[in-house]
Tab-separated table of all heavy atoms in Angstrom:
chain	number	residue	atom	x	y	z
A	489	MET	N	-133.370	99.059	92.506
A	489	MET	CA	-134.269	97.890	92.477
A	489	MET	C	-134.359	97.396	91.087
A	489	MET	O	-134.490	98.061	90.042
A	489	MET	CB	-135.728	98.412	92.932
A	489	MET	CG	-136.715	97.350	93.016
A	489	MET	SD	-138.351	97.899	93.670
A	489	MET	CE	-139.066	98.838	92.307
A	490	LYS	N	-134.294	96.018	91.009
A	490	LYS	CA	-134.398	95.336	89.769
A	490	LYS	C	-135.866	94.732	89.655
A	490	LYS	O	-136.323	94.213	90.632
A	490	LYS	CB	-133.398	94.287	89.663
A	490	LYS	CG	-131.975	94.754	89.355
A	490	LYS	CD	-131.125	93.561	88.988
A	490	LYS	CE	-129.866	93.461	89.818
A	490	LYS	NZ	-129.123	92.265	89.603
A	491	LYS	N	-136.417	94.818	88.471
A	491	LYS	CA	-137.684	94.166	88.265
A	491	LYS	C	-137.631	93.247	87.030
A	491	LYS	O	-136.865	93.470	86.134
A	491	LYS	CB	-138.807	95.221	87.938
A	491	LYS	CG	-139.281	96.132	88.974
A	491	LYS	CD	-140.485	96.843	88.510
A	491	LYS	CE	-140.722	98.128	89.277
A	491	LYS	NZ	-141.741	98.869	88.675
A	492	GLY	N	-138.322	92.103	87.146
A	492	GLY	CA	-138.292	91.193	85.993
A	492	GLY	C	-139.655	90.391	86.072
A	492	GLY	O	-140.327	90.355	87.038
A	493	ASP	N	-139.803	89.658	85.013
A	493	ASP	CA	-140.857	88.792	84.878
A	493	ASP	C	-140.294	87.314	84.828
A	493	ASP	O	-139.380	87.106	84.045
A	493	ASP	CB	-141.742	89.068	83.757
A	493	ASP	CG	-142.564	90.361	83.980
A	493	ASP	OD1	-143.234	90.530	84.949
A	493	ASP	OD2	-142.283	91.268	83.138
A	494	VAL	N	-140.950	86.410	85.456
A	494	VAL	CA	-140.525	85.048	85.488
A	494	VAL	C	-141.755	84.103	85.218
A	494	VAL	O	-142.813	84.391	85.720
A	494	VAL	CB	-139.969	84.619	86.989
A	494	VAL	CG1	-139.608	83.124	86.965
A	494	VAL	CG2	-138.718	85.508	87.254
A	495	THR	N	-141.521	83.194	84.376
A	495	THR	CA	-142.534	82.191	84.068
A	495	THR	C	-142.187	80.846	84.457
A	495	THR	O	-140.984	80.396	84.268
A	495	THR	CB	-142.839	82.198	82.549
A	495	THR	OG1	-143.252	83.509	82.076
A	495	THR	CG2	-143.916	81.175	82.206
A	496	CYS	N	-143.060	80.139	85.233
A	496	CYS	CA	-142.786	78.758	85.681
A	496	CYS	C	-142.778	77.901	84.457
A	496	CYS	O	-143.775	77.813	83.685
A	496	CYS	CB	-143.803	78.351	86.662
A	496	CYS	SG	-143.628	76.656	87.160
A	497	SER	N	-141.635	77.159	84.274
A	497	SER	CA	-141.570	76.374	83.109
A	497	SER	C	-142.468	75.080	83.171
A	497	SER	O	-142.652	74.362	82.272
A	497	SER	CB	-140.054	75.913	82.886
A	497	SER	OG	-139.526	75.252	84.048
A	498	ALA	N	-142.820	74.739	84.400
A	498	ALA	CA	-143.640	73.491	84.616
A	498	ALA	C	-145.078	73.705	84.418
A	498	ALA	O	-145.760	72.834	83.878
A	498	ALA	CB	-143.317	72.995	85.968
A	499	CYS	N	-145.628	74.854	84.917
A	499	CYS	CA	-147.128	74.996	84.776
A	499	CYS	C	-147.517	76.263	84.096
A	499	CYS	O	-148.723	76.528	83.798
A	499	CYS	CB	-147.718	75.018	86.197
A	499	CYS	SG	-147.395	76.528	87.067
A	500	GLY	N	-146.616	77.159	83.758
A	500	GLY	CA	-146.983	78.381	82.949
A	500	GLY	C	-147.393	79.584	83.852
A	500	GLY	O	-147.794	80.619	83.207
A	501	ALA	N	-147.380	79.471	85.104
A	501	ALA	CA	-147.710	80.607	85.928
A	501	ALA	C	-146.704	81.735	85.661
A	501	ALA	O	-145.510	81.536	85.576
A	501	ALA	CB	-147.690	80.205	87.464
A	502	GLY	N	-147.238	82.939	85.813
A	502	GLY	CA	-146.311	84.088	85.589
A	502	GLY	C	-146.103	84.803	86.934
A	502	GLY	O	-147.056	85.038	87.713
A	503	PHE	N	-144.895	85.403	87.047
A	503	PHE	CA	-144.552	86.084	88.307
A	503	PHE	C	-143.889	87.346	88.071
A	503	PHE	O	-143.150	87.488	87.093
A	503	PHE	CB	-143.661	85.239	89.233
A	503	PHE	CG	-144.268	83.921	89.594
A	503	PHE	CD1	-144.147	82.827	88.719
A	503	PHE	CD2	-144.958	83.860	90.829
A	503	PHE	CE1	-144.736	81.619	89.060
A	503	PHE	CE2	-145.533	82.581	91.136
A	503	PHE	CZ	-145.400	81.467	90.221
A	504	ARG	N	-144.172	88.353	88.853
A	504	ARG	CA	-143.422	89.535	88.870
A	504	ARG	C	-142.213	89.428	89.912
A	504	ARG	O	-142.559	89.113	91.093
A	504	ARG	CB	-144.272	90.795	89.226
A	504	ARG	CG	-143.471	92.069	89.344
A	504	ARG	CD	-142.578	92.518	88.320
A	504	ARG	NE	-143.233	92.434	86.970
A	504	ARG	CZ	-143.820	93.521	86.493
A	504	ARG	NH1	-144.002	94.629	87.109
A	504	ARG	NH2	-144.371	93.428	85.231
A	505	ARG	N	-141.001	89.590	89.561
A	505	ARG	CA	-139.874	89.450	90.474
A	505	ARG	C	-139.272	90.780	90.851
A	505	ARG	O	-138.957	91.584	89.895
A	505	ARG	CB	-138.912	88.530	89.905
A	505	ARG	CG	-137.693	88.280	90.801
A	505	ARG	CD	-136.604	87.430	89.956
A	505	ARG	NE	-135.451	87.053	90.824
A	505	ARG	CZ	-134.391	87.909	91.123
A	505	ARG	NH1	-134.457	89.156	90.587
A	505	ARG	NH2	-133.429	87.478	91.791
A	506	LEU	N	-139.203	91.088	92.133
A	506	LEU	CA	-138.566	92.340	92.517
A	506	LEU	C	-137.277	92.013	93.382
A	506	LEU	O	-137.313	91.121	94.155
A	506	LEU	CB	-139.517	93.137	93.484
A	506	LEU	CG	-140.783	93.604	92.852
A	506	LEU	CD1	-141.612	94.355	93.875
A	506	LEU	CD2	-140.493	94.573	91.585
A	507	GLU	N	-136.186	92.774	93.028
A	507	GLU	CA	-134.955	92.541	93.838
A	507	GLU	C	-134.528	93.944	94.382
A	507	GLU	O	-134.337	94.852	93.719
A	507	GLU	CB	-133.900	91.949	92.898
A	507	GLU	CG	-132.600	91.686	93.607
A	507	GLU	CD	-131.594	91.055	92.653
A	507	GLU	OE1	-132.043	90.160	91.837
A	507	GLU	OE2	-130.435	91.403	92.710
A	508	LEU	N	-134.326	93.855	95.765
A	508	LEU	CA	-133.917	95.036	96.467
A	508	LEU	C	-132.544	94.795	97.102
A	508	LEU	O	-132.465	93.889	97.954
A	508	LEU	CB	-134.918	95.513	97.516
A	508	LEU	CG	-136.306	95.842	97.002
A	508	LEU	CD1	-137.275	95.945	98.276
A	508	LEU	CD2	-136.330	97.250	96.361
A	509	ALA	N	-131.574	95.612	96.805
A	509	ALA	CA	-130.277	95.456	97.367
A	509	ALA	C	-130.324	95.852	98.849
A	509	ALA	O	-129.446	95.369	99.634
A	509	ALA	CB	-129.260	96.252	96.743
A	510	SER	N	-131.223	96.675	99.257
A	510	SER	CA	-131.189	97.231	100.575
A	510	SER	C	-132.058	96.450	101.676
A	510	SER	O	-131.971	96.767	102.832
A	510	SER	CB	-131.604	98.653	100.587
A	510	SER	OG	-133.008	98.800	100.133
A	511	GLY	N	-132.844	95.508	101.129
A	511	GLY	CA	-133.662	94.820	102.082
A	511	GLY	C	-132.951	93.669	102.843
A	511	GLY	O	-131.854	93.417	102.574
A	512	PRO	N	-133.707	92.984	103.642
A	512	PRO	CA	-133.168	91.783	104.367
A	512	PRO	C	-132.988	90.730	103.299
A	512	PRO	O	-133.848	90.412	102.526
A	512	PRO	CB	-134.247	91.423	105.393
A	512	PRO	CG	-135.503	92.022	104.880
A	512	PRO	CD	-135.103	93.198	104.166
A	513	ALA	N	-131.808	90.076	103.346
A	513	ALA	CA	-131.446	89.172	102.327
A	513	ALA	C	-132.445	87.905	102.346
A	513	ALA	O	-132.779	87.532	103.354
A	513	ALA	CB	-129.994	88.670	102.528
A	514	THR	N	-132.763	87.484	101.169
A	514	THR	CA	-133.547	86.294	101.023
A	514	THR	C	-132.662	85.043	100.805
A	514	THR	O	-131.778	85.052	100.166
A	514	THR	CB	-134.457	86.352	99.856
A	514	THR	OG1	-135.171	87.615	99.881
A	514	THR	CG2	-135.449	85.186	99.711
A	515	HIS	N	-133.005	83.962	101.691
A	515	HIS	CA	-132.248	82.776	101.622
A	515	HIS	C	-133.137	81.617	101.153
A	515	HIS	O	-134.351	81.784	101.294
A	515	HIS	CB	-131.561	82.469	103.008
A	515	HIS	CG	-130.574	83.409	103.383
A	515	HIS	ND1	-129.239	83.408	103.113
A	515	HIS	CD2	-130.691	84.569	104.147
A	515	HIS	CE1	-128.615	84.410	103.473
A	515	HIS	NE2	-129.470	85.133	104.282
A	516	GLY	N	-132.560	80.561	100.840
A	516	GLY	CA	-133.258	79.460	100.448
A	516	GLY	C	-133.737	79.372	99.088
A	516	GLY	O	-132.988	79.724	98.212
A	517	GLU	N	-134.999	79.016	98.800
A	517	GLU	CA	-135.372	78.968	97.372
A	517	GLU	C	-136.901	79.402	97.288
A	517	GLU	O	-137.579	79.434	98.291
A	517	GLU	CB	-135.226	77.498	96.925
A	517	GLU	CG	-136.203	76.514	97.681
A	517	GLU	CD	-135.610	75.145	97.593
A	517	GLU	OE1	-134.466	74.825	97.268
A	517	GLU	OE2	-136.422	74.292	97.921
A	518	TYR	N	-137.268	79.759	96.188
A	518	TYR	CA	-138.674	80.127	95.929
A	518	TYR	C	-139.281	79.073	95.066
A	518	TYR	O	-138.808	78.792	93.945
A	518	TYR	CB	-138.767	81.490	95.288
A	518	TYR	CG	-140.213	81.845	95.165
A	518	TYR	CD1	-141.009	82.325	96.187
A	518	TYR	CD2	-140.888	81.754	93.843
A	518	TYR	CE1	-142.323	82.620	96.037
A	518	TYR	CE2	-142.209	81.991	93.728
A	518	TYR	CZ	-142.952	82.479	94.793
A	518	TYR	OH	-144.239	82.844	94.710
A	519	ARG	N	-140.319	78.452	95.491
A	519	ARG	CA	-141.045	77.428	94.756
A	519	ARG	C	-142.392	78.027	94.192
A	519	ARG	O	-143.077	78.769	94.846
A	519	ARG	CB	-141.412	76.284	95.582
A	519	ARG	CG	-140.241	75.444	95.935
A	519	ARG	CD	-140.575	74.322	96.902
A	519	ARG	NE	-139.381	73.491	97.211
A	519	ARG	CZ	-138.982	72.412	96.491
A	519	ARG	NH1	-139.758	72.032	95.543
A	519	ARG	NH2	-137.946	71.721	96.830
A	520	CYS	N	-142.735	77.635	93.005
A	520	CYS	CA	-143.965	77.959	92.374
A	520	CYS	C	-145.104	77.531	93.393
A	520	CYS	O	-145.198	76.387	93.728
A	520	CYS	CB	-144.193	77.223	91.111
A	520	CYS	SG	-145.686	77.513	90.219
A	521	PRO	N	-146.021	78.365	93.742
A	521	PRO	CA	-147.067	78.063	94.707
A	521	PRO	C	-148.111	77.089	94.182
A	521	PRO	O	-148.859	76.608	94.991
A	521	PRO	CB	-147.757	79.418	95.041
A	521	PRO	CG	-147.353	80.296	93.897
A	521	PRO	CD	-146.084	79.821	93.395
A	522	THR	N	-148.202	76.989	92.945
A	522	THR	CA	-149.263	76.063	92.389
A	522	THR	C	-148.693	74.639	92.052
A	522	THR	O	-149.406	73.731	92.144
A	522	THR	CB	-149.847	76.610	91.045
A	522	THR	OG1	-148.907	76.805	90.128
A	522	THR	CG2	-150.513	77.923	91.409
A	523	CYS	N	-147.419	74.604	91.634
A	523	CYS	CA	-146.961	73.254	91.209
A	523	CYS	C	-145.683	72.752	91.977
A	523	CYS	O	-145.276	71.637	91.894
A	523	CYS	CB	-146.679	73.181	89.701
A	523	CYS	SG	-145.153	74.057	89.197
A	524	GLY	N	-145.072	73.687	92.669
A	524	GLY	CA	-143.860	73.245	93.572
A	524	GLY	C	-142.558	73.296	92.824
A	524	GLY	O	-141.573	72.913	93.352
A	525	GLU	N	-142.554	73.763	91.544
A	525	GLU	CA	-141.281	73.813	90.881
A	525	GLU	C	-140.447	74.902	91.489
A	525	GLU	O	-140.903	75.942	91.849
A	525	GLU	CB	-141.659	74.209	89.407
A	525	GLU	CG	-140.445	74.281	88.538
A	525	GLU	CD	-139.898	72.941	87.980
A	525	GLU	OE1	-140.463	71.927	88.319
A	525	GLU	OE2	-138.968	72.997	87.187
A	526	ILE	N	-139.136	74.578	91.599
A	526	ILE	CA	-138.229	75.616	92.160
A	526	ILE	C	-137.977	76.641	91.060
A	526	ILE	O	-137.458	76.322	89.934
A	526	ILE	CB	-136.917	74.981	92.596
A	526	ILE	CG1	-137.151	74.063	93.791
A	526	ILE	CG2	-135.826	76.030	92.960
A	526	ILE	CD1	-135.901	73.330	94.260
A	527	LEU	N	-138.261	77.872	91.388
A	527	LEU	CA	-138.061	78.935	90.313
A	527	LEU	C	-136.764	79.635	90.496
A	527	LEU	O	-136.107	80.124	89.612
A	527	LEU	CB	-139.230	79.935	90.470
A	527	LEU	CG	-140.612	79.482	90.198
A	527	LEU	CD1	-141.579	80.664	90.313
A	527	LEU	CD2	-140.667	78.883	88.796
A	528	GLU	N	-136.270	79.671	91.699
A	528	GLU	CA	-134.972	80.318	92.015
A	528	GLU	C	-134.403	79.874	93.304
A	528	GLU	O	-135.146	79.731	94.165
A	528	GLU	CB	-135.145	81.866	92.028
A	528	GLU	CG	-133.913	82.614	92.230
A	528	GLU	CD	-134.082	84.146	92.138
A	528	GLU	OE1	-135.150	84.582	91.910
A	528	GLU	OE2	-133.124	84.870	92.493
A	529	LYS	N	-133.112	79.691	93.272
A	529	LYS	CA	-132.386	79.513	94.567
A	529	LYS	C	-131.592	80.832	94.957
A	529	LYS	O	-130.899	81.346	94.025
A	529	LYS	CB	-131.376	78.358	94.415
A	529	LYS	CG	-132.095	77.067	94.264
A	529	LYS	CD	-131.117	75.826	94.273
A	529	LYS	CE	-131.938	74.567	94.229
A	529	LYS	NZ	-131.057	73.344	94.073
A	530	PHE	N	-131.878	81.344	96.073
A	530	PHE	CA	-131.277	82.716	96.432
A	530	PHE	C	-129.855	82.445	96.952
A	530	PHE	O	-129.574	81.637	97.663
A	530	PHE	CB	-132.202	83.298	97.450
A	530	PHE	CG	-133.607	83.418	97.019
A	530	PHE	CD1	-134.600	82.771	97.666
A	530	PHE	CD2	-133.968	84.230	96.000
A	530	PHE	CE1	-135.919	82.866	97.249
A	530	PHE	CE2	-135.274	84.473	95.640
A	530	PHE	CZ	-136.191	83.713	96.216
A	531	ASP	N	-129.034	83.419	96.656
A	531	ASP	CA	-127.725	83.443	97.153
A	531	ASP	C	-127.466	84.300	98.366
A	531	ASP	O	-126.400	84.361	98.902
A	531	ASP	CB	-126.774	83.984	96.004
A	531	ASP	CG	-127.081	85.309	95.477
A	531	ASP	OD1	-127.886	85.978	96.149
A	531	ASP	OD2	-126.574	85.707	94.471
A	532	GLY	N	-128.557	84.975	98.896
A	532	GLY	CA	-128.472	85.648	100.115
A	532	GLY	C	-127.900	87.065	99.947
A	532	GLY	O	-127.563	87.614	100.956
A	533	ASN	N	-127.774	87.549	98.766
A	533	ASN	CA	-127.153	88.835	98.484
A	533	ASN	C	-128.188	89.962	98.378
A	533	ASN	O	-127.822	91.104	98.252
A	533	ASN	CB	-126.329	88.852	97.260
A	533	ASN	CG	-125.084	88.048	97.523
A	533	ASN	OD1	-124.485	88.036	98.626
A	533	ASN	ND2	-124.569	87.361	96.483
A	534	ALA	N	-129.392	89.587	98.361
A	534	ALA	CA	-130.507	90.685	98.079
A	534	ALA	C	-131.824	90.144	98.632
A	534	ALA	O	-132.029	89.074	98.896
A	534	ALA	CB	-130.548	90.958	96.558
A	535	PHE	N	-132.698	91.081	98.785
A	535	PHE	CA	-134.091	90.777	99.171
A	535	PHE	C	-134.813	90.589	97.812
A	535	PHE	O	-134.875	91.478	96.907
A	535	PHE	CB	-134.713	91.968	99.933
A	535	PHE	CG	-136.208	91.732	100.210
A	535	PHE	CD1	-136.597	90.817	101.076
A	535	PHE	CD2	-137.162	92.487	99.436
A	535	PHE	CE1	-138.002	90.670	101.326
A	535	PHE	CE2	-138.494	92.361	99.634
A	535	PHE	CZ	-138.937	91.376	100.556
A	536	VAL	N	-135.459	89.379	97.716
A	536	VAL	CA	-136.189	89.162	96.491
A	536	VAL	C	-137.627	88.762	96.800
A	536	VAL	O	-137.831	88.033	97.778
A	536	VAL	CB	-135.607	87.909	95.797
A	536	VAL	CG1	-136.311	87.585	94.574
A	536	VAL	CG2	-134.104	88.154	95.461
A	537	ALA	N	-138.496	89.390	96.138
A	537	ALA	CA	-139.996	89.158	96.275
A	537	ALA	C	-140.645	88.648	95.059
A	537	ALA	O	-140.315	89.225	93.992
A	537	ALA	CB	-140.671	90.457	96.857
A	538	TYR	N	-141.501	87.665	95.179
A	538	TYR	CA	-142.232	87.211	93.968
A	538	TYR	C	-143.740	87.435	94.195
A	538	TYR	O	-144.230	87.344	95.305
A	538	TYR	CB	-142.072	85.684	93.776
A	538	TYR	CG	-140.793	85.332	93.060
A	538	TYR	CD1	-139.570	85.193	93.688
A	538	TYR	CD2	-140.847	85.103	91.655
A	538	TYR	CE1	-138.480	84.770	92.884
A	538	TYR	CE2	-139.788	84.751	90.944
A	538	TYR	CZ	-138.641	84.505	91.548
A	538	TYR	OH	-137.454	84.175	90.878
A	539	ARG	N	-144.371	87.794	93.081
A	539	ARG	CA	-145.718	87.954	93.167
A	539	ARG	C	-146.397	87.309	91.901
A	539	ARG	O	-146.041	87.544	90.814
A	539	ARG	CB	-146.186	89.419	93.207
A	539	ARG	CG	-147.651	89.691	93.500
A	539	ARG	CD	-147.840	91.201	93.988
A	539	ARG	NE	-147.608	92.084	92.909
A	539	ARG	CZ	-148.581	92.655	92.137
A	539	ARG	NH1	-149.871	92.380	92.439
A	539	ARG	NH2	-148.229	93.437	91.156
A	540	LEU	N	-147.432	86.436	92.249
A	540	LEU	CA	-148.089	85.811	91.186
A	540	LEU	C	-148.950	86.817	90.305
A	540	LEU	O	-149.790	87.390	90.830
A	540	LEU	CB	-149.039	84.629	91.717
A	540	LEU	CG	-149.753	83.766	90.776
A	540	LEU	CD1	-148.800	82.921	89.944
A	540	LEU	CD2	-150.743	82.893	91.503
A	541	THR	N	-148.608	86.770	89.082
A	541	THR	CA	-149.388	87.717	88.248
A	541	THR	C	-150.268	87.017	87.118
A	541	THR	O	-151.191	87.532	86.671
A	541	THR	CB	-148.416	88.692	87.493
A	541	THR	OG1	-147.432	87.881	86.771
A	541	THR	CG2	-147.754	89.615	88.462
A	542	ILE	N	-149.876	85.792	86.779
A	542	ILE	CA	-150.662	85.071	85.850
A	542	ILE	C	-150.941	83.686	86.338
A	542	ILE	O	-150.083	82.955	86.579
A	542	ILE	CB	-149.874	84.994	84.422
A	542	ILE	CG1	-149.550	86.307	83.948
A	542	ILE	CG2	-150.638	84.152	83.369
A	542	ILE	CD1	-148.498	86.287	82.772
A	543	GLN	N	-152.213	83.386	86.488
A	543	GLN	CA	-152.588	82.105	86.940
A	543	GLN	C	-152.228	81.073	85.905
A	543	GLN	O	-152.398	81.207	84.674
A	543	GLN	CB	-154.068	82.106	87.213
A	543	GLN	CG	-154.560	82.829	88.317
A	543	GLN	CD	-154.199	82.412	89.739
A	543	GLN	OE1	-153.794	81.171	89.797
A	543	GLN	NE2	-154.207	83.205	90.755
A	544	PRO	N	-151.723	79.876	86.373
A	544	PRO	CA	-151.505	78.777	85.306
A	544	PRO	C	-152.727	78.376	84.598
A	544	PRO	O	-153.843	78.355	85.204
A	544	PRO	CB	-150.864	77.713	86.159
A	544	PRO	CG	-151.338	77.959	87.509
A	544	PRO	CD	-151.522	79.457	87.637
A	545	SER	N	-152.613	77.911	83.492
A	545	SER	CA	-153.768	77.486	82.626
A	545	SER	C	-154.278	76.074	82.947
A	545	SER	O	-155.364	75.731	82.544
A	545	SER	CB	-153.482	77.629	81.156
A	545	SER	OG	-152.344	76.858	80.828
A	546	ILE	N	-153.425	75.293	83.611
A	546	ILE	CA	-153.714	73.927	83.864
A	546	ILE	C	-154.769	73.804	84.972
A	546	ILE	O	-154.869	74.693	85.743
A	546	ILE	CB	-152.547	73.040	84.169
A	546	ILE	CG1	-151.811	73.588	85.412
A	546	ILE	CG2	-151.529	73.021	83.050
A	546	ILE	CD1	-150.821	72.729	85.987
A	547	ARG	N	-155.527	72.675	84.916
A	547	ARG	CA	-156.433	72.411	86.023
A	547	ARG	C	-155.720	71.491	87.114
A	547	ARG	O	-154.718	71.043	86.840
A	547	ARG	CB	-157.700	71.701	85.423
A	547	ARG	CG	-158.402	72.547	84.464
A	547	ARG	CD	-159.299	73.520	85.128
A	547	ARG	NE	-160.065	74.275	84.114
A	547	ARG	CZ	-160.933	75.182	84.490
A	547	ARG	NH1	-161.135	75.477	85.755
A	547	ARG	NH2	-161.589	75.845	83.508
A	548	GLY	N	-156.506	71.285	88.135
A	548	GLY	CA	-156.015	70.375	89.150
A	548	GLY	C	-155.085	71.042	90.139
A	548	GLY	O	-154.255	70.375	90.796
A	549	VAL	N	-155.140	72.306	90.345
A	549	VAL	CA	-154.349	73.023	91.255
A	549	VAL	C	-154.706	72.585	92.703
A	549	VAL	O	-155.940	72.559	92.925
A	549	VAL	CB	-154.378	74.490	91.079
A	549	VAL	CG1	-153.677	75.267	92.312
A	549	VAL	CG2	-153.890	74.937	89.741
A	550	ARG	N	-153.757	72.288	93.475
A	550	ARG	CA	-154.069	71.950	94.860
A	550	ARG	C	-154.772	73.022	95.599
A	550	ARG	O	-154.369	74.190	95.397
A	550	ARG	CB	-152.829	71.444	95.582
A	550	ARG	CG	-152.288	70.142	95.102
A	550	ARG	CD	-151.180	69.763	96.028
A	550	ARG	NE	-150.173	70.746	96.245
A	550	ARG	CZ	-148.963	70.840	95.512
A	550	ARG	NH1	-148.758	69.868	94.668
A	550	ARG	NH2	-148.129	71.784	95.704
A	551	ASP	N	-155.657	72.631	96.419
A	551	ASP	CA	-156.417	73.669	97.166
A	551	ASP	C	-156.034	73.500	98.666
A	551	ASP	O	-156.708	72.632	99.324
A	551	ASP	CB	-157.925	73.548	96.963
A	551	ASP	CG	-158.714	74.596	97.602
A	551	ASP	OD1	-158.102	75.600	98.066
A	551	ASP	OD2	-159.982	74.491	97.667
A	552	ASP	N	-155.150	74.216	99.158
A	552	ASP	CA	-154.828	74.112	100.597
A	552	ASP	C	-155.344	75.380	101.288
A	552	ASP	O	-155.433	75.430	102.434
A	552	ASP	CB	-153.326	73.894	100.964
A	552	ASP	CG	-152.400	74.170	99.897
A	552	ASP	OD1	-152.228	75.326	99.542
A	552	ASP	OD2	-151.843	73.281	99.382
B	2042	LIG	ZN1	-145.482	76.150	88.426
């Protein structure tokens, strides 16, 4: 399992990224839940999970 930290370059939100070679492969892309910036495009070779760890400092986050 690989672990890493990712920061959204658009809004500053921080994420913990986990990659598992044995899980169901992740396809498509992961977008920042607060601003919609694409953080990663998956190649389908691993299971990748993101978890928000640092709330962005900006205001005006959409409330859905
Ligand atoms: Zn963002």
